[in-house]
């Protein structure tokens, strides 16, 4: 029963000055091949009244892996439990605008959740990249006096703001960290004798792993974080790569959604679902999106 994945998930509610619409839809490509939706979506409220905290989490499982949908669902549940346990402190930090505390605390929660995913891969005898997922989250305080909106996560996707009829790309940029050149380890033999004779021959045989060094892991996705203030009339959109790519690459889609979502008041659930499913030639992946309308 845990493997059952609905084709479409749709949710929405209003908290404080925020109206939330969230949807996750299986892409045409997965439908054609009869594969489950690799995207997962979780919406949850912790606490009550003005002390409540709303979490929207979405994940995308690794492409061409059999357990992609399970990995995405599990990492959403794990981050949900972690935020739920810490929601009171998170609300305090949001109200006090403690950006540094929020960033470090959410970084730890994200690392723990993704670490559980790597541990689950090891338990199944899989390589880490064979049971992995991106993770993108949005925290919204229910207190009408607190306009701070916090995005965090790891992996590709999109974070946009619609203000005055124009889209702004808020996705945190990740800079590449330069890697140093390989260093010969202590005690390594020279490549040749002083007379120029080669000591080894490259026969194309893989070098066995050293018993003194851990096997290299695939690079981990860097942590992404952004805190912003919502203004009346703003629309904040968080989405997976399935919608972020066409929104960045196809001006007609961006203009269509800007026109649709600039109308007075947020759309209903059915209208939001229709907007999220607008087809664009060449883009057939799953789409998951959460939009927040500021009253």
């Amino acid at each position: 029963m845990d493997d059952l994945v609905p084709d479409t998930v749709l949710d929405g509610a209003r908290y404080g000055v925020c109206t939330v619409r969230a949807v996750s839809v299986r892409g045409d490509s997965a439908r054609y091949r009869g594969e489950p939706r690799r995207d997962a979506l979780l919406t949850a409220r912790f606490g009550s009244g003005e002390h409540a905290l709303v979490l929207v989490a979405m994940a995308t499982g690794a492409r061409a892996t059999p357990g992609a949908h399970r990995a995405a669902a599990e990492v959403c549940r794990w981050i949900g439990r972690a935020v739920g346990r810490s929601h009171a402190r998170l609300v305090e930090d949001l109200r006090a605008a403690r950006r540094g505390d929020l960033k470090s605390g959410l970084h730890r929660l994200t690392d723990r959740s993704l670490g559980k995913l790597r541990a689950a891969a090891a338990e199944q005898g899989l390589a880490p990249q064979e049971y992995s997922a991106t993770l993108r989250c949005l925290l919204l305080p229910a207190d009408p006096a607190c306009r701070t909106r916090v995005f965090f996560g790891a992996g590709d996707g999109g974070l946009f703001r619609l203000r005055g009829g124009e889209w702004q790309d808020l996705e945190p940029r990740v800079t590449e960290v330069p890697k140093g050149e390989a260093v010969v380890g202590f005690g390594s033999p020279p490549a040749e004798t002083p007379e120029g004779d080669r000591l080894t021959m490259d026969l194309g045989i893989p070098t066995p792993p050293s018993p003194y060094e851990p096997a290299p892991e695939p690079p981990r996705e860097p942590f992404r974080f952004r805190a912003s203030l919502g203004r009346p009339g703003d629309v904040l959109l968080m989405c997976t790569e399935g919608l972020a790519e066409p929104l960045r690459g196809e001006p007609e889609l961006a203009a269509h959604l800007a026109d649709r979502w600039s109308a007075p008041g947020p759309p209903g659930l059915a209208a939001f679902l229709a907007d999220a499913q607008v087809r664009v030639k060449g883009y057939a992946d799953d789409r998951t999106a959460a939009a927040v309308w500021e009253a």
Side-chain angles (χ1 to χ4, degrees):
M1 297 297 290
D2 290 340
D3 271 349
L4 294 179
V5 182
D7 178 274
T8 301
V9 176
L10 181 65
D11 203 357
R14 177 167 181 170
Y15 298 100
V17 294
C18 293
T19 299
V20 181
R21 297 285 181 261
V23 65
S24 185
V25 182
R26 182 165 57 154
D28 290 338
S29 178
R31 284 195 184 120
Y32 177 79
R33 296 193 302 267
E35 296 175 354
R37 175 168 47 90
R38 290 187 298 120
D39 278 7
L41 173 68
L42 170 71
T43 54
R45 186 199 69 195
F46 304 104
S48 59
E50 295 185 355
H51 298 280
L53 180 67
V54 177
L55 166 71
V56 182
M58 56 185 67
T60 301
R63 192 182 298 274
T65 56
H69 59 290
R70 288 192 296 271
E74 285 188 350
V75 77
C76 283
R77 287 195 294 266
W78 285 329
I79 196 67
R81 293 189 185 107
V83 169
R85 286 191 294 267
S86 306
H87 80 272
R89 173 63 185 274
L90 289 169
V91 169
E92 291 178 6
D93 289 343
L94 284 164
R95 283 176 160 175
R98 301 187 188 110
R99 187 180 184 280
D101 291 347
L102 283 167
K103 185 175 182 179
S104 60
L106 294 172
H107 194 169
R108 287 194 298 271
L109 297 185
T110 302
D111 279 351
R112 288 174 189 168
S113 298
L114 294 175
K116 287 186 176 182
L117 208 56
R118 289 188 290 271
E123 290 175 0
Q124 299 175 56
L126 301 173
Q129 66 271 21
E130 294 178 316
Y131 197 74
S132 63
T134 65
L135 175 64
R136 309 179 69 76
C137 304
L138 201 58
L139 290 181
L140 308 168
D143 184 356
C146 182
R147 290 273 188 174
T148 303
R149 315 295 179 233
V150 169
F151 160 80
F152 67 97
D156 293 332
L159 181 69
F160 306 92
R161 178 168 59 204
L162 182 61
R163 176 175 287 177
E166 298 292 332
W167 286 109
Q168 302 169 359
D169 195 335
L170 304 183
E171 181 70 14
R173 301 302 175 195
V174 177
T175 56
E176 291 293 335
V177 179
K179 292 179 168 42
E181 295 294 327
V183 178
V184 178
F186 174 77
S188 298
E192 59 186 34
T193 66
E195 292 76 26
D197 295 324
R198 302 291 296 179
L199 295 178
T200 59
M201 294 178 60
D202 184 5
L203 301 178
I205 301 173
T207 304
S210 168
Y212 306 106
E213 297 178 3
E217 291 187 359
R220 299 183 184 182
E221 289 285 353
F223 179 69
R224 299 172 188 257
F225 175 90
R226 182 177 290 277
S228 63
L229 291 177
R231 296 180 186 175
D234 282 356
V235 181
L236 186 64
L237 173 67
M238 177 180 71
C239 56
T240 57
E241 194 73 0
L243 181 59
E245 281 191 346
L247 196 56
R248 290 190 179 108
E250 301 294 334
E252 289 184 4
L253 176 64
H256 173 76
L257 293 182
D259 179 65
R260 292 278 300 164
W261 295 347
S262 294
L269 290 176
F272 184 71
L273 173 61
D275 292 339
Q277 291 187 103
V278 172
R279 284 183 166 86
V280 181
K281 187 176 180 180
Y283 300 92
D285 281 345
D286 298 347
R287 290 184 183 181
T288 302
V292 181
W293 275 261
E294 299 280 354

